[in-house]
Amino acid sequence: MITGIIFAAAVVGIIGILIGVFLGIASEKFKVEVDEKEIMVRNELPGNNCGGCGYAGCDALAKAIAAGQADVGACPVGGASVTEKISEIMGVSAGSAEKKVAFVKCKGSCDKTKVQYNYYGIDDCRKISVVPGSGEKSCVYGCMGYGSCVKACEFDAIHVVDGIAVVDKEKCVACGKCVASCPNALIDLVPYKAEYLVQCNSHDKGKDVKAKCDVGCIGCTMCIKQCEFDAIHMDNNVAIIDYDKCTNCGKCAAKCPVKVII
Amino acid sequence: MKELLLIAIGSALVNNVVLSQFLGLCPFLGVSKNVKTSAGMGAAVIFVITIASFVTSLIYKSVLVGLNLEFLQTIVFILVIAALVQFVEMFLKKSMPALYEALGVYLPLITTNCAVLGVALTNVQKDYNILESVVNGVGISVGFTIAIIMLAGVRERIEYNDVPHSFKGSPIVLITSGLMAIAFFGFSGLI
């Protein structure tokens, strides 16, 4: 009886020791050299694993930065402080990594835009965008207000207020998830410092815009004439601001007849 | 040959490891949020179970039976499987980095997948030889992959629906997998 127990214990013990020794040898034999820089870079990254950089998480980005495949400022979440530390590790000077935020190019809240029908159904913009007329609001370019971007945001930085999505500038880390989630491609990453933004995405002609929404860009080109820096242009009936040239003078916003530049 | 085919189909569909034996439920519920990750998990499970059923069956036949210590099977299998997953991970990292990247975090997670141990023990219970064990392992892991990918597909669609508040999260997933299990019950007349 007792010898049986001892025998069993001995067999398991021996198997355990054999496996231990085997794994020990194997770990030496199959050791993979990890770049020292990669570990240091990884320690500086925020570790949210949000994927905003386009890589499959912070580990993958650290590897890419250490290998020189990604920019030292590739992490949109970390901001300037992280970029600085990483560039120190990598021994290169940090570029002018500008803090960006997401911005919803639509102002058509429930009271400003016309409603064409009542919608009852699946609560998700990506599904609603295939419904004829793409949702309740008559403008097909605008925010449908069903909050796919809100669900996509991991930082609680975007909310639907009065039928349109609004970004909380302070909480936004520009990870770009909401940009990808919007079926109308309505969300852009814009510089944090930019004060004047065109809050409309409608490519309709001026008359059609007027018929559908009180606060849409009618393509009157008034803002273009005001701008002294050649920073604003018309693209398919909607004004687009070039943030590299814009000096935040605000003349365009002052003249805009529909107050779509804020 | 016919017998092997019967074992494979039987373990993949008729006695599906998740839906009729209720093994490996943790990864089945935990990693089935979208089709891509569940396919990764499925691939890793196929990989590990195939190797594990070979190795455990070999050890059982050559060591435990020889020493008259069959009752130690569970504890020895646990040891062997845990070590095997560790070793496979090291080996892949060194010699097949592409596959290692593809399987990613799911490879070490499999250590906690009871389906692996389940396969090893069923092989012993049913007195399979080594070849039959490997075929059984492949069948079971393919069955697991089918089930987890199907559940992930269903869950992706559930996301868009208006699920009653008290059913959100795990309850609706459990109900869904229950319905899937009933559907798989239809395979029971196959062999």
Side-chain angles (χ1 to χ4, degrees):
Chain A
M1 172 65 194
I2 195 79
T3 50
I5 295 176
I6 292 172
F7 188 49
V11 168
V12 175
I14 289 168
I15 291 180
I17 290 170
L18 284 180
I19 287 176
V21 171
F22 170 69
L23 279 183
I25 294 170
S27 74
E28 267 308 306
K29 194 153 187 202
F30 292 109
K31 203 151 105 186
V32 178
E33 300 291 332
V34 181
D35 197 348
E36 232 174 83
K37 279 180 181 168
E38 186 183 326
I39 299 167
M40 283 158 78
V41 171
R42 176 64 191 83
N43 289 340
E44 294 303 334
L45 291 171
N48 295 59
N49 286 319
C50 67
C53 52
Y55 289 89
C58 294
D59 285 338
L61 178 64
K63 202 173 170 188
I65 292 178
Q69 290 160 347
D71 192 47
V72 286
C75 178
V77 179
S81 59
V82 168
T83 306
E84 207 173 287
K85 280 179 195 154
I86 292 176
S87 57
E88 232 167 72
I89 296 168
M90 293 300 294
V92 292
S93 62
S96 55
E98 202 170 9
K99 182 173 161 55
K100 290 196 161 189
V101 287
F103 171 70
V104 183
K105 293 181 288 182
C106 182
K107 214 179 175 184
S109 50
C110 297
D111 53 328
K112 303 266 175 47
T113 183
K114 312 283 181 297
V115 171
Q116 49 186 350
Y117 53 76
N118 286 331
Y119 173 83
Y120 296 97
I122 298 169
D123 232 11
D124 193 282
C125 301
R126 280 165 291 184
K127 296 289 167 190
I128 294 162
S129 64
V130 297
V131 172
S134 86
E136 290 158 316
K137 292 176 185 170
S138 48
C139 176
V140 296
Y141 302 101
C143 177
M144 289 170 271
Y146 282 88
S148 285
C149 45
V150 178
K151 285 179 210 154
C153 184
E154 285 176 19
F155 302 92
D156 193 36
I158 191 163
H159 298 283
V160 172
V161 181
D162 200 17
I164 55 167
V166 179
V167 176
D168 184 337
K169 253 179 132 174
E170 303 309 320
K171 283 186 186 166
C172 181
V173 296
C175 70
K177 286 215 166 155
C178 52
V179 177
S181 75
C182 183
N184 277 357
L186 202 59
I187 306 177
D188 267 350
L189 294 180
V190 300
Y192 180 81
K193 283 181 291 192
E195 282 174 35
Y196 296 97
L197 303 152
V198 181
Q199 207 169 17
C200 183
N201 189 42
S202 172
H203 296 309
D204 281 341
K205 294 239 164 61
K207 193 171 159 244
D208 300 332
V209 174
K210 271 275 181 217
K212 288 173 184 169
C213 180
D214 295 342
V215 285
C217 176
I218 52 174
C220 65
T221 71
M222 198 89 98
C223 46
I224 299 178
K225 285 165 200 148
Q226 293 303 315
C227 189
E228 296 163 16
F229 308 97
D230 191 36
I232 193 159
H233 293 283
M234 278 293 154
D235 178 30
N236 209 352
N237 292 318
V238 63
I240 305 280
I241 294 178
D242 184 344
Y243 301 110
D244 291 336
K245 291 180 185 166
C246 180
T247 57
N248 288 337
C249 69
K251 282 183 183 164
C252 49
K255 275 285 176 184
C256 181
V258 282
K259 299 284 166 237
V260 76
I261 302 178
I262 53 137
Chain B
M1 192 62 218
K2 196 181 153 211
E3 291 225 326
L4 292 181
L5 196 67
L6 280 181
I7 290 175
I9 292 178
S11 51
L13 297 175
V14 183
N15 296 314
N16 188 290
V17 63
V18 195
L19 296 174
S20 82
Q21 298 184 47
F22 310 111
L23 290 173
L25 280 177
C26 170
F28 181 65
L29 298 178
V31 204
S32 58
K33 275 229 170 95
N34 69 58
V35 173
K36 217 176 138 195
T37 52
S38 60
M41 185 73 191
V45 166
I46 292 180
F47 191 75
V48 169
I49 286 190
T50 310
I51 299 174
S53 50
F54 173 72
V55 173
T56 50
S57 161
L58 189 71
I59 285 181
Y60 182 77
K61 296 271 183 231
S62 59
V63 180
L64 294 184
V65 173
L67 293 174
N68 233 355
L69 286 171
E70 286 91 343
F71 61 91
L72 281 180
Q73 45 173 286
T74 313
I75 196 162
V76 171
F77 287 176
I78 292 174
L79 251 174
V80 169
I81 290 169
L84 185 72
V85 174
Q86 285 282 315
F87 175 70
V88 165
E89 199 188 348
M90 280 189 269
F91 179 74
L92 284 185
K93 203 171 184 181
K94 179 81 178 180
S95 50
M96 284 180 256
L99 185 62
Y100 177 78
E101 294 276 318
L103 298 180
V105 70
Y106 305 112
L107 198 54
L109 270 182
I110 291 175
T111 327
T112 60
N113 188 340
C114 59
V116 185
L117 183 63
V119 176
L121 292 175
T122 344
N123 288 339
V124 171
Q125 246 171 33
K126 294 197 175 162
D127 209 17
Y128 287 152
N129 63 32
I130 292 179
L131 180 63
E132 283 168 338
S133 302
V134 172
V135 171
N136 186 40
V138 173
I140 282 197
S141 48
V142 168
F144 177 84
T145 310
I146 293 173
I148 196 171
I149 290 181
M150 277 171 58
L151 181 69
V154 174
R155 280 183 80 172
E156 277 187 356
R157 281 161 185 76
I158 286 178
E159 283 284 301
Y160 294 127
N161 287 319
D162 197 12
V163 180
H165 185 70
S166 49
F167 281 99
K168 274 195 178 133
S170 312
I172 191 73
V173 179
L174 284 170
I175 291 172
T176 314
S177 42
L179 292 174
M180 276 171 63
I182 294 174
F184 264 68
F185 194 57
F187 284 119
S188 61
L190 203 61
I191 51 171

